[in-house]
Amino acid sequence: METSISQFLIAAPHSGAGKTTLTLGLLRALQGRGLRTQPFKCGPDFIDPIHHSTAARRQSINLDAYMMSPDHIKDLYQRYTADADVAITEGVMGLFDGAQKREGSSADLAVLLQLPVILVLNAKAMAYSAAALLHGLKTFDPALTIAGVIFNFVDTATHYRLLQEACEDVGVTALGHLPNEKALRIPSRHLGLDTADAGEAIAAAARHIEKHLDLDAILAATRAPRIAFSRAPRPATAPQRSKTILVARDAAFHFLYPENLRRLEAYGRIQFFSPLSEPHLPPADLLYLPGGYPELYLEQLAGNKTLLADIRSFASKGRILAECGGMMVLGHSITDETGKPWPMAGILNIATTIQEKKLALGYRTLTLDGQSLKGHEFHYSQFVQTPAAANGINLAPAGVKGIVQPPAAANGIVRNARGQEVAAPVFHGPNLFASYMHFYWGESAGPLEAWLAR
Protein backbone atom coordinates (compact mmCIF):
# COMPACT_ATOMS: atom_id res chain seq x y z
CA MET A 1 0.00 0.00 0.00
CA GLU A 2 1.32 3.43 -0.95
CA THR A 3 2.15 5.65 2.00
CA SER A 4 2.90 9.33 2.15
CA ILE A 5 4.97 11.60 4.34
CA SER A 6 5.32 15.33 4.91
CA GLN A 7 8.98 16.12 4.40
CA PHE A 8 10.97 19.25 3.70
CA LEU A 9 14.28 21.01 4.15
CA ILE A 10 14.40 24.36 5.95
CA ALA A 11 16.85 26.74 4.30
CA ALA A 12 17.65 30.43 4.08
CA PRO A 13 19.69 32.77 1.88
CA HIS A 14 22.21 33.18 4.72
CA SER A 15 22.95 32.24 8.31
CA GLY A 16 21.08 34.10 11.03
CA ALA A 17 17.68 34.11 9.33
CA GLY A 18 16.11 31.87 11.98
CA LYS A 19 16.43 28.33 10.57
CA THR A 20 17.21 26.70 13.90
CA THR A 21 14.44 28.40 15.87
CA LEU A 22 11.89 27.52 13.19
CA THR A 23 13.13 23.94 12.99
CA LEU A 24 12.98 23.43 16.75
CA GLY A 25 9.58 25.01 17.07
CA LEU A 26 8.13 22.89 14.27
CA LEU A 27 9.68 19.69 15.63
CA ARG A 28 8.23 20.22 19.10
CA ALA A 29 4.84 21.49 17.88
CA LEU A 30 4.34 18.56 15.49
CA GLN A 31 5.65 16.04 18.01
CA GLY A 32 3.16 17.53 20.47
CA ARG A 33 0.38 16.66 18.04
CA GLY A 34 1.35 13.02 18.27
CA LEU A 35 3.13 12.93 14.92
CA ARG A 36 6.32 10.88 14.65
CA THR A 37 8.65 13.64 13.56
CA GLN A 38 12.15 12.70 12.37
CA PRO A 39 14.84 15.42 12.40
CA PHE A 40 17.97 15.63 10.24
CA LYS A 41 20.82 18.12 10.00
CA CYS A 42 22.64 19.00 6.81
CA GLY A 43 26.37 19.15 7.51
CA PRO A 44 28.70 18.01 10.29
CA ASP A 45 27.36 20.11 13.16
CA PHE A 46 26.86 18.41 16.55
CA ILE A 47 24.96 21.12 18.42
CA ASP A 48 21.89 21.53 16.21
CA PRO A 49 21.17 17.76 16.29
CA ILE A 50 21.29 17.89 20.09
CA HIS A 51 18.61 20.61 19.87
CA HIS A 52 16.63 18.56 17.38
CA SER A 53 16.67 15.39 19.47
CA THR A 54 15.44 17.30 22.50
CA ALA A 55 12.67 18.98 20.49
CA ALA A 56 11.46 15.90 18.60
CA ARG A 57 12.21 13.40 21.37
CA ARG A 58 13.75 11.36 18.58
CA GLN A 59 17.40 11.05 17.51
CA SER A 60 18.49 13.59 14.90
CA ILE A 61 20.82 12.33 12.18
CA ASN A 62 23.54 14.21 10.27
CA LEU A 63 23.47 14.07 6.48
CA ASP A 64 26.74 15.37 5.09
CA ALA A 65 27.63 15.16 1.40
CA TYR A 66 31.34 15.69 2.04
CA MET A 67 31.78 12.97 4.64
CA MET A 68 29.19 10.57 3.18
CA SER A 69 28.47 9.04 -0.21
CA PRO A 70 25.09 9.70 -1.91
CA ASP A 71 24.09 6.06 -1.37
CA HIS A 72 24.88 6.27 2.34
CA ILE A 73 22.84 9.48 2.70
CA LYS A 74 19.87 7.85 0.94
CA ASP A 75 20.18 4.77 3.11
CA LEU A 76 20.21 6.83 6.31
CA TYR A 77 17.28 8.97 5.22
CA GLN A 78 15.15 6.00 4.19
CA ARG A 79 16.01 4.02 7.30
CA TYR A 80 15.23 6.79 9.79
CA THR A 81 12.03 7.94 8.06
CA ALA A 82 10.58 4.45 7.63
CA ASP A 83 8.14 4.91 10.53
CA ALA A 84 7.94 8.73 10.53
CA ASP A 85 4.91 10.89 9.75
CA VAL A 86 7.01 14.01 9.18
CA ALA A 87 10.69 14.51 8.34
CA ILE A 88 12.34 17.90 8.82
CA THR A 89 15.89 18.59 7.68
CA GLU A 90 17.61 21.76 8.85
CA GLY A 91 19.93 23.24 6.25
CA VAL A 92 23.35 24.73 6.84
CA MET A 93 24.47 28.32 6.16
CA GLY A 94 22.86 29.71 2.98
CA LEU A 95 20.89 27.47 0.62
CA PHE A 96 23.68 27.15 -1.96
CA ASP A 97 26.70 27.49 0.37
CA GLY A 98 28.95 24.41 0.21
CA ALA A 99 32.49 23.29 0.88
CA GLN A 100 33.40 24.40 -2.64
CA LYS A 101 30.86 26.70 -4.26
CA ARG A 102 27.59 24.73 -3.80
CA GLU A 103 29.16 21.28 -3.37
CA GLY A 104 27.64 19.61 -0.32
CA SER A 105 25.19 22.46 0.22
CA SER A 106 21.62 22.31 1.53
CA ALA A 107 20.46 22.66 -2.07
CA ASP A 108 22.49 19.64 -3.15
CA LEU A 109 21.03 17.56 -0.32
CA ALA A 110 17.49 18.63 -1.20
CA VAL A 111 18.02 17.64 -4.85
CA LEU A 112 19.58 14.30 -3.89
CA LEU A 113 16.70 13.35 -1.59
CA GLN A 114 14.01 15.10 -3.67
CA LEU A 115 13.00 17.24 -0.71
CA PRO A 116 10.90 20.38 -1.17
CA VAL A 117 12.50 23.44 0.41
CA ILE A 118 10.81 25.84 2.81
CA LEU A 119 12.72 29.11 2.83
CA VAL A 120 13.10 31.32 5.89
CA LEU A 121 13.60 34.97 5.01
CA ASN A 122 14.64 37.66 7.47
CA ALA A 123 12.30 40.39 6.25
CA LYS A 124 12.87 42.87 9.06
CA ALA A 125 14.09 45.61 6.70
CA MET A 126 12.67 44.32 3.42
CA ALA A 127 9.51 44.62 1.38
CA TYR A 128 9.17 44.16 -2.40
CA SER A 129 12.89 43.46 -2.77
CA ALA A 130 11.97 40.02 -1.46
CA ALA A 131 10.63 39.31 -4.96
CA ALA A 132 14.08 39.56 -6.56
CA LEU A 133 15.68 37.44 -3.85
CA LEU A 134 12.99 34.75 -4.05
CA HIS A 135 13.12 34.75 -7.84
CA GLY A 136 16.84 34.05 -7.74
CA LEU A 137 16.55 31.25 -5.18
CA LYS A 138 13.67 29.68 -7.09
CA THR A 139 15.23 29.73 -10.56
CA PHE A 140 18.96 29.25 -9.84
CA ASP A 141 18.59 25.46 -10.01
CA PRO A 142 15.54 24.09 -11.89
CA ALA A 143 15.99 20.72 -10.13
CA LEU A 144 15.19 22.37 -6.79
CA THR A 145 11.59 22.59 -5.58
CA ILE A 146 10.66 25.59 -3.42
CA ALA A 147 7.54 24.66 -1.45
CA GLY A 148 7.15 28.14 0.01
CA VAL A 149 8.60 30.81 2.24
CA ILE A 150 8.11 31.83 5.85
CA PHE A 151 8.97 35.45 6.61
CA ASN A 152 10.71 36.07 9.91
CA PHE A 153 10.73 39.28 12.01
CA VAL A 154 7.53 40.68 10.46
CA ASP A 155 5.55 42.63 13.05
CA THR A 156 2.54 44.00 11.15
CA ALA A 157 -0.13 42.66 8.82
CA THR A 158 0.61 45.51 6.40
CA HIS A 159 4.25 44.50 6.14
CA TYR A 160 3.27 40.87 5.54
CA ARG A 161 0.82 41.91 2.81
CA LEU A 162 3.67 43.64 0.93
CA LEU A 163 5.70 40.45 1.18
CA GLN A 164 2.76 38.36 -0.03
CA GLU A 165 2.51 40.58 -3.11
CA ALA A 166 6.21 39.92 -3.79
CA CYS A 167 5.54 36.18 -3.54
CA GLU A 168 2.57 36.36 -5.90
CA ASP A 169 4.63 38.10 -8.56
CA VAL A 170 7.35 35.41 -8.60
CA GLY A 171 5.17 32.37 -8.01
CA VAL A 172 6.37 31.40 -4.53
CA THR A 173 3.83 30.36 -1.89
CA ALA A 174 3.79 32.51 1.25
CA LEU A 175 3.43 30.07 4.15
CA GLY A 176 3.11 32.68 6.88
CA HIS A 177 5.13 35.09 8.97
CA LEU A 178 6.63 35.24 12.43
CA PRO A 179 6.84 38.47 14.42
CA ASN A 180 9.94 39.34 16.37
CA GLU A 181 9.85 37.83 19.85
CA LYS A 182 12.56 39.25 22.09
CA ALA A 183 11.97 36.62 24.78
CA LEU A 184 12.61 33.84 22.28
CA ARG A 185 16.30 33.02 22.58
CA ILE A 186 18.16 29.78 22.02
CA PRO A 187 20.99 29.36 24.59
CA SER A 188 24.55 30.01 23.49
CA ARG A 189 25.90 27.33 21.16
CA HIS A 190 29.14 27.23 23.16
CA LEU A 191 27.27 26.28 26.32
CA GLY A 192 25.59 23.39 24.61
CA LEU A 193 21.89 22.73 24.33
CA ASP A 194 21.20 19.67 26.46
CA THR A 195 20.06 21.89 29.33
CA ALA A 196 16.88 22.98 31.07
CA ASP A 197 17.27 26.42 29.48
CA ALA A 198 17.32 24.84 26.04
CA GLY A 199 14.19 22.85 26.84
CA GLU A 200 12.31 26.00 27.80
CA ALA A 201 13.56 27.82 24.70
CA ILE A 202 12.30 24.97 22.51
CA ALA A 203 8.89 25.00 24.22
CA ALA A 204 8.71 28.77 23.71
CA ALA A 205 9.59 28.39 20.03
CA ALA A 206 6.80 25.82 19.63
CA ARG A 207 4.25 28.11 21.25
CA HIS A 208 5.39 31.00 19.04
CA ILE A 209 5.07 28.94 15.86
CA GLU A 210 1.71 27.39 16.78
CA LYS A 211 0.34 30.87 17.42
CA HIS A 212 1.45 32.41 14.14
CA LEU A 213 1.76 29.66 11.50
CA ASP A 214 -0.77 27.32 9.88
CA LEU A 215 0.86 23.96 10.52
CA ASP A 216 -1.79 22.06 8.59
CA ALA A 217 -1.05 24.15 5.50
CA ILE A 218 2.68 23.47 5.84
CA LEU A 219 2.11 19.73 6.17
CA ALA A 220 -0.26 19.69 3.19
CA ALA A 221 2.15 21.66 1.01
CA THR A 222 4.95 19.17 1.64
CA ARG A 223 3.08 15.84 1.64
CA ALA A 224 3.89 13.36 -1.09
CA PRO A 225 4.26 9.58 -1.59
CA ARG A 226 7.36 8.12 0.02
CA ILE A 227 10.27 7.65 -2.33
CA ALA A 228 11.89 4.22 -2.18
CA PHE A 229 15.58 4.70 -2.88
CA SER A 230 17.57 1.71 -4.03
CA ARG A 231 19.65 0.89 -0.98
CA ALA A 232 23.21 -0.32 -1.20
CA PRO A 233 23.93 -3.39 0.95
CA ARG A 234 25.41 -2.45 4.31
CA PRO A 235 28.78 -3.97 5.17
CA ALA A 236 28.46 -7.17 7.14
CA THR A 237 30.67 -7.22 10.20
CA ALA A 238 30.54 -9.95 12.78
CA PRO A 239 30.08 -8.43 16.24
CA GLN A 240 32.85 -9.10 18.71
CA ARG A 241 30.82 -8.83 21.87
CA SER A 242 33.63 -10.11 24.07
CA LYS A 243 35.29 -6.70 23.79
CA THR A 244 34.16 -3.68 25.78
CA ILE A 245 34.28 -0.21 24.24
CA LEU A 246 34.15 2.56 26.82
CA VAL A 247 32.66 5.83 25.49
CA ALA A 248 32.87 9.10 27.43
CA ARG A 249 29.50 10.85 27.44
CA ASP A 250 28.54 13.72 29.72
CA ALA A 251 28.36 17.52 29.64
CA ALA A 252 32.06 17.76 28.73
CA PHE A 253 32.10 15.00 26.08
CA HIS A 254 29.05 14.62 23.91
CA PHE A 255 29.98 15.27 20.27
CA LEU A 256 28.98 11.82 19.04
CA TYR A 257 27.60 10.78 15.66
CA PRO A 258 24.92 8.10 16.22
CA GLU A 259 26.12 6.21 13.15
CA ASN A 260 29.68 6.12 14.49
CA LEU A 261 28.37 4.46 17.63
CA ARG A 262 26.36 2.01 15.57
CA ARG A 263 29.50 1.01 13.66
CA LEU A 264 31.47 0.70 16.90
CA GLU A 265 28.98 -1.90 18.06
CA ALA A 266 30.39 -4.18 15.35
CA TYR A 267 33.68 -4.27 17.27
CA GLY A 268 32.37 -4.78 20.77
CA ARG A 269 29.87 -3.87 23.47
CA ILE A 270 29.54 -0.13 24.13
CA GLN A 271 29.47 1.13 27.70
CA PHE A 272 29.11 4.84 28.50
CA PHE A 273 30.80 6.59 31.41
CA SER A 274 31.28 10.13 32.72
CA PRO A 275 34.81 11.51 33.17
CA LEU A 276 33.26 14.34 35.19
CA SER A 277 31.65 12.21 37.87
CA GLU A 278 33.19 8.73 37.90
CA PRO A 279 36.40 8.39 39.94
CA HIS A 280 37.69 5.32 38.13
CA LEU A 281 37.80 4.01 34.59
CA PRO A 282 35.62 0.91 34.17
CA PRO A 283 37.33 -2.14 32.65
CA ALA A 284 37.51 -1.96 28.84
CA ASP A 285 39.49 -2.89 25.74
CA LEU A 286 39.00 0.40 23.88
CA LEU A 287 38.48 3.91 25.27
CA TYR A 288 36.78 6.53 23.09
CA LEU A 289 37.09 10.16 24.20
CA PRO A 290 34.99 12.27 21.81
CA GLY A 291 34.90 16.04 21.53
CA GLY A 292 32.76 18.39 23.55
CA TYR A 293 33.48 21.22 25.96
CA PRO A 294 36.17 20.04 28.40
CA GLU A 295 37.38 23.65 28.67
CA LEU A 296 34.17 24.47 30.57
CA TYR A 297 34.86 21.81 33.20
CA LEU A 298 38.61 22.05 33.74
CA GLU A 299 38.47 22.19 37.53
CA GLN A 300 36.32 19.04 37.68
CA LEU A 301 38.44 17.16 35.16
CA ALA A 302 41.75 18.15 36.75
CA GLY A 303 40.34 17.34 40.18
CA ASN A 304 39.40 13.82 39.13
CA LYS A 305 42.97 12.65 39.66
CA THR A 306 42.12 8.99 40.11
CA LEU A 307 40.42 8.87 36.72
CA LEU A 308 43.32 10.65 34.99
CA ALA A 309 45.68 8.14 36.58
CA ASP A 310 43.49 5.30 35.33
CA ILE A 311 43.60 6.72 31.79
CA ARG A 312 47.41 6.93 31.97
CA SER A 313 47.57 3.34 33.11
CA PHE A 314 45.08 2.23 30.46
CA ALA A 315 47.21 3.78 27.67
CA SER A 316 49.89 1.13 28.15
CA LYS A 317 47.56 -1.85 27.78
CA GLY A 318 44.38 -0.75 25.99
CA ARG A 319 43.64 1.41 22.97
CA ILE A 320 42.50 5.04 23.02
CA LEU A 321 40.59 6.88 20.30
CA ALA A 322 40.34 10.62 20.97
CA GLU A 323 38.93 13.56 19.03
CA CYS A 324 39.29 17.30 19.65
CA GLY A 325 38.37 17.83 23.34
CA GLY A 326 39.19 14.19 24.02
CA MET A 327 42.67 14.69 22.54
CA MET A 328 43.14 17.81 24.66
CA VAL A 329 42.57 15.79 27.83
CA LEU A 330 45.33 13.38 26.79
CA GLY A 331 47.87 16.23 26.82
CA HIS A 332 49.85 17.62 29.77
CA SER A 333 47.49 20.53 30.41
CA ILE A 334 44.66 22.75 29.18
CA THR A 335 45.00 26.48 29.84
CA ASP A 336 41.77 28.31 30.58
CA GLU A 337 40.72 31.79 29.48
CA THR A 338 42.46 33.41 32.47
CA GLY A 339 45.81 31.84 31.61
CA LYS A 340 45.72 29.16 34.31
CA PRO A 341 46.90 25.71 33.16
CA TRP A 342 45.03 22.68 34.46
CA PRO A 343 46.86 19.32 34.54
CA MET A 344 45.45 16.52 32.40
CA ALA A 345 46.42 12.90 31.65
CA GLY A 346 49.89 13.62 30.22
CA ILE A 347 49.82 10.79 27.69
CA LEU A 348 50.54 13.05 24.71
CA ASN A 349 53.47 15.43 24.78
CA ILE A 350 51.22 18.40 24.00
CA ALA A 351 49.49 21.23 25.83
CA THR A 352 46.48 23.20 24.61
CA THR A 353 44.99 26.56 25.50
CA ILE A 354 41.68 28.37 25.21
CA GLN A 355 43.15 31.68 26.39
CA GLU A 356 43.90 33.06 22.94
CA LYS A 357 41.03 31.80 20.83
CA LYS A 358 41.72 31.05 17.19
CA LEU A 359 39.10 29.42 15.02
CA ALA A 360 40.06 26.27 13.12
CA LEU A 361 37.21 25.32 10.83
CA GLY A 362 36.71 23.11 7.82
CA TYR A 363 36.42 19.66 6.33
CA ARG A 364 39.43 17.39 6.47
CA THR A 365 40.53 14.17 4.77
CA LEU A 366 43.23 12.06 6.38
CA THR A 367 45.14 9.75 4.05
CA LEU A 368 47.06 7.16 6.01
CA ASP A 369 48.54 3.84 4.90
CA GLY A 370 46.85 4.24 1.53
CA GLN A 371 43.37 4.70 3.00
CA SER A 372 41.25 7.79 3.61
CA LEU A 373 39.07 8.94 6.48
CA LYS A 374 36.94 12.08 6.34
CA GLY A 375 35.98 14.47 9.10
CA HIS A 376 36.04 18.10 10.12
CA GLU A 377 37.62 20.57 12.53
CA PHE A 378 35.77 23.16 14.58
CA HIS A 379 37.56 24.50 17.63
CA TYR A 380 38.83 27.72 19.18
CA SER A 381 41.52 26.15 21.34
CA GLN A 382 45.01 25.59 19.97
CA PHE A 383 48.31 23.96 20.78
CA VAL A 384 50.49 25.97 23.15
CA GLN A 385 53.36 25.02 20.86
CA THR A 386 53.05 23.35 17.48
CA PRO A 387 53.90 19.67 17.93
CA ALA A 388 57.29 18.68 16.56
CA ALA A 389 57.83 16.84 13.28
CA ALA A 390 56.80 13.19 13.06
CA ASN A 391 60.06 11.61 14.19
CA GLY A 392 60.65 14.14 16.95
CA ILE A 393 57.68 13.54 19.22
CA ASN A 394 58.30 11.69 22.44
CA LEU A 395 55.01 10.14 23.44
CA ALA A 396 53.71 7.46 25.75
CA PRO A 397 52.85 4.70 25.19
CA ALA A 398 55.90 3.66 23.23
CA GLY A 399 55.55 3.39 19.50
CA VAL A 400 53.18 6.33 19.03
CA LYS A 401 54.05 8.57 16.14
CA GLY A 402 52.87 12.06 15.33
CA ILE A 403 51.80 13.12 11.87
CA VAL A 404 52.20 16.82 11.26
CA GLN A 405 51.67 18.85 8.10
CA PRO A 406 53.64 20.75 6.98
CA PRO A 407 56.30 19.38 6.72
CA ALA A 408 54.99 16.32 4.96
CA ALA A 409 54.74 13.32 7.24
CA ALA A 410 56.25 9.94 6.54
CA ASN A 411 52.98 8.09 5.98
CA GLY A 412 50.03 10.42 6.36
CA ILE A 413 48.62 13.62 4.87
CA VAL A 414 45.68 15.80 5.90
CA ARG A 415 43.94 17.90 3.25
CA ASN A 416 41.04 20.35 3.31
CA ALA A 417 38.00 20.31 1.03
CA ARG A 418 40.01 21.99 -1.74
CA GLY A 419 42.69 19.32 -1.63
CA GLN A 420 45.28 21.56 0.03
CA GLU A 421 47.53 20.12 2.74
CA VAL A 422 46.82 21.59 6.18
CA ALA A 423 48.55 21.52 9.55
CA ALA A 424 46.40 19.05 11.46
CA PRO A 425 48.50 16.77 13.68
CA VAL A 426 47.34 13.18 13.98
CA PHE A 427 48.91 11.04 16.71
CA HIS A 428 48.70 7.35 15.98
CA GLY A 429 50.20 4.06 16.97
CA PRO A 430 49.19 0.55 18.06
CA ASN A 431 47.46 1.87 21.18
CA LEU A 432 46.45 5.40 20.20
CA PHE A 433 44.63 7.37 17.51
CA ALA A 434 44.07 11.03 18.35
CA SER A 435 43.68 14.40 16.65
CA TYR A 436 41.75 17.66 16.66
CA MET A 437 39.54 16.25 13.91
CA HIS A 438 36.09 14.77 14.40
CA PHE A 439 36.00 11.78 12.08
CA TYR A 440 32.96 10.15 10.52
CA TRP A 441 33.26 6.38 10.18
CA GLY A 442 29.55 5.51 10.07
CA GLU A 443 30.00 4.44 6.44
CA SER A 444 33.66 3.38 6.27
CA ALA A 445 36.35 3.48 8.92
CA GLY A 446 39.17 3.57 6.34
CA PRO A 447 42.54 3.42 8.13
CA LEU A 448 40.70 2.92 11.44
CA GLU A 449 39.09 -0.32 10.29
CA ALA A 450 41.97 -2.67 11.08
CA TRP A 451 42.91 -0.63 14.17
CA LEU A 452 39.40 -0.99 15.61
CA ALA A 453 39.17 -4.67 14.74
CA ARG A 454 42.33 -5.68 16.64
Side-chain angles (χ1 to χ4, degrees), residues 431-449:
N431 291 359
L432 179 67
F433 199 103
S435 84
Y436 253 129
M437 287 174 278
H438 301 275
F439 290 112
Y440 182 80
W441 62 82
E443 181 175 9
S444 171
L448 267 179
E449 198 79 64

Side-chain angles (χ1 to χ4, degrees), residues 20-21 24 45 47-48 50-52 54 182-205 293 296:
T20 298
T21 300
L24 296 176
D45 183 69
I47 298 299
D48 286 343
I50 292 174
H51 270 94
H52 296 171
T54 301
K182 294 180 180 179
L184 188 61
R185 186 185 68 85
I186 301 300
S188 168
R189 290 175 60 82
H190 186 66
L191 294 179
L193 300 163
D194 199 9
T195 64
D197 287 344
E200 176 51 38
I202 289 168
Y293 294 123
L296 299 179

Side-chain angles (χ1 to χ4, degrees), residues 143-317:
L144 197 66
T145 300
I146 304 298
V149 58
I150 295 170
F151 294 100
N152 208 1
F153 309 116
V154 177
D155 290 321
T156 68
T158 301
H159 185 191
Y160 182 53
R161 181 56 197 154
L162 295 174
L163 296 167
Q164 285 177 303
E165 291 173 350
C167 286
E168 291 165 3
D169 287 355
V170 296
V172 173
T173 303
L175 291 172
H177 70 285
L178 294 169
N180 186 33
E181 177 55 70
K182 294 180 180 179
L184 188 61
R185 186 185 68 85
I186 301 300
S188 168
R189 290 175 60 82
H190 186 66
L191 294 179
L193 300 163
D194 199 9
T195 64
D197 287 344
E200 176 51 38
I202 289 168
R207 292 192 295 268
H208 186 62
I209 282 167
E210 288 178 308
K211 180 179 179 181
H212 296 286
L213 296 181
D214 185 343
L215 299 187
D216 291 328
I218 291 172
L219 292 176
T222 57
R223 181 164 289 278
R226 294 178 189 271
I227 297 173
F229 297 112
S230 58
R231 298 172 64 175
R234 297 170 66 187
T237 311
Q240 302 174 26
R241 295 295 181 182
S242 60
K243 294 184 179 180
T244 299
I245 300 172
L246 205 55
V247 179
R249 187 174 67 177
D250 57 20
F253 305 94
H254 55 273
F255 288 175
L256 292 158
Y257 290 125
E259 288 302 294
N260 280 2
L261 293 178
R262 183 190 63 78
R263 279 297 298 270
L264 277 183
E265 289 178 338
Y267 303 101
R269 179 180 59 86
I270 290 178
Q271 178 181 339
F272 295 102
F273 82 107
S274 170
L276 289 178
S277 61
E278 297 186 35
H280 289 287
L281 197 66
D285 301 288
L286 171 65
L287 171 62
Y288 177 27
L289 298 173
Y293 294 123
E295 64 270 26
L296 299 179
Y297 303 92
L298 292 177
E299 185 173 2
Q300 285 175 259
L301 289 169
N304 198 348
K305 296 179 180 180
T306 53
L307 181 74
L308 293 176
D310 282 358
I311 293 176
R312 280 193 297 273
S313 175
F314 181 84
S316 63
K317 56 188 177 182

